[in-house]
Amino acid sequence: MNTLIKRLSIVVLLVFFVAIHVYAEPSINDIISDMPQDKVEAFLSGDTVEMYSLNGEYVPSIAMDGSMGKSKAKNDYEKEGVFTLGLATFVKYPDSWECMSFDEKKLEIINTFLSISTIKGITYISHSAGDKPKVLFSDAYTLVDKDSKKEAYDVKFSYAPSSYKYQVAAYLKDSVFGGNKYLIDYDISESEIFMTITNYTDLKFLFFKAVSKGELNMCVDAVMTKEGIAIFALATVYSQESSINTPVGSIHLPSAFMKRITSLKNWFIQEINN
């Protein structure tokens, strides 16, 4: 009798864990209810949809329902003296992941986001250079800590936690803003990995301050679904000025940061397919 009860208990536990696993992988169509209908088809086909708050567009509408990306987009959109811009796209899991478990896929996503050194050499399309690719970050590496200049190895997880928060400091050498330190926060939940990059030093353009320390957030949000990965990227600038004008040049900040979150999105997709 005791043996039978034990067996039944095991079956109940297995059913419970299977139920959790199913919940961890929503269908993509169930988490895009706020996305404008004219954007949905492009999004599902793998195209990138973009929105700018300065154009009167509601950036949170292209983030995934119930996600950390959507929550941050809503909070930032409603702040005074802030402008936001975002993009969203959908990618199927790589063919090489076909036999992977949910946790194995999740671990690949986490470690991709943690591989800061692979950001080195990522490009953007320069319209001023005739729509040719140009290097955005000529150097990138993890730092020992935020107050150090010493390079460290990229962090690598050995398993995928169901819930976890983690922070690293990094150095990124930008083609426009030069070399700067950033704090990179990772917030991991059951089916979502949310990365936020915040400048730890002032960003300067031609020796002129463009963005003060802590006033730029660039986020990349990956939500795992049954069909693939829903990606939302967001840039938030705590400034009422959309352009920086100097005696020797100018820069349009919304365009500059859309290039950066686009490049980060492309980097992530490229890395998971390597």
Side-chain angles (χ1 to χ4, degrees):
M1 183 70 176
N2 287 338
T3 302
L4 179 60
I5 291 172
K6 286 180 180 178
R7 287 177 179 174
L8 286 172
S9 298
I10 290 170
V11 170
V12 169
L13 283 172
L14 286 172
V15 170
F16 176 72
F17 285 123
V18 167
I20 289 176
H21 181 75
V22 171
Y23 172 75
E25 294 177 287
S27 173
I28 184 60
N29 288 304
D30 293 337
I31 58 172
I32 55 173
S33 64
D34 288 343
M35 189 173 291
Q37 283 302 309
D38 62 340
K39 305 283 187 184
V40 170
E41 184 177 350
F43 168 81
L44 292 176
S45 67
D47 292 339
T48 299
V49 298
E50 301 177 355
M51 283 192 173
Y52 297 81
S53 65
L54 290 175
N55 291 346
E57 296 172 313
Y58 188 58
V59 176
S61 68
I62 58 173
M64 308 311 119
D65 296 353
S67 67
M68 289 177 274
K70 195 177 198 74
S71 178
K72 178 167 175 55
K74 284 182 175 180
N75 289 338
D76 290 353
Y77 187 86
E78 293 167 0
K79 291 176 180 177
E80 294 291 334
V82 170
F83 67 83
T84 62
L85 48 109
L87 62 81
T89 192
F90 178 73
V91 293
K92 293 183 178 179
Y93 294 117
D95 292 340
S96 59
W97 292 17
E98 185 177 354
C99 296
M100 286 186 181
S101 67
F102 174 82
D103 282 345
E104 287 171 333
K105 293 174 184 176
K106 184 177 178 180
L107 182 61
E108 288 288 332
I109 295 171
I110 292 169
N111 284 332
T112 296
F113 277 136
L114 286 165
S115 61
I116 305 303
S117 63
T118 62
I119 293 176
K120 179 179 178 178
I122 67 172
T123 60
Y124 69 98
I125 300 301
S126 172
H127 300 302
S128 61
D131 291 335
K132 293 181 180 178
K134 294 187 70 174
V135 172
L136 178 58
F137 294 114
S138 59
D139 205 0
Y141 50 82
T142 302
L143 294 168
V144 172
D145 60 59
K146 64 184 180 180
D147 297 316
S148 171
K149 295 182 180 180
K150 188 176 180 181
E151 182 175 353
Y153 289 110
D154 288 335
V155 177
K156 192 169 185 177
F157 283 18
S158 58
Y159 71 98
S162 60
S163 178
Y164 197 67
K165 293 180 186 290
Y166 191 70
Q167 184 184 78
V168 300
Y171 173 84
L172 302 176
K173 189 173 184 181
D174 189 294
S175 62
V176 172
F177 301 111
N180 294 279
K181 290 181 182 179
Y182 294 84
L183 297 180
I184 306 181
D185 291 281
Y186 300 89
D187 200 335
I188 300 167
S189 68
E190 182 123 23
S191 59
E192 181 181 5
I193 301 90
F194 185 56
M195 178 176 75
T196 305
I197 303 172
T198 304
N199 63 311
Y200 190 62
T201 50
D202 294 341
L203 302 186
K204 295 182 178 180
F205 171 65
L206 299 175
F207 306 106
F208 294 87
K209 186 192 293 187
V211 181
S212 297
K213 174 183 174 179
E215 293 190 349
L216 166 69
N217 291 149
M218 293 186 294
C219 309
V220 184
D221 192 21
V223 178
M224 300 175 68
T225 73
K226 294 175 183 177
E227 301 86 358
I229 306 170
I231 301 169
F232 172 68
L234 175 76
T236 301
V237 182
Y238 295 81
S239 171
Q240 293 182 335
E241 301 296 328
S242 61
S243 295
I244 303 298
N245 299 302
T246 75
V248 290
S250 63
I251 183 169
H252 185 243
L253 293 177
S255 297
F257 292 123
M258 179 59 81
K259 288 174 182 175
R260 279 149 186 77
I261 62 172
T262 298
S263 295
L264 288 170
K265 176 263 297 181
N266 291 340
W267 157 74
F268 172 73
I269 293 172
Q270 177 180 304
E271 288 300 310
I272 64 170
N273 282 286
N274 277 348

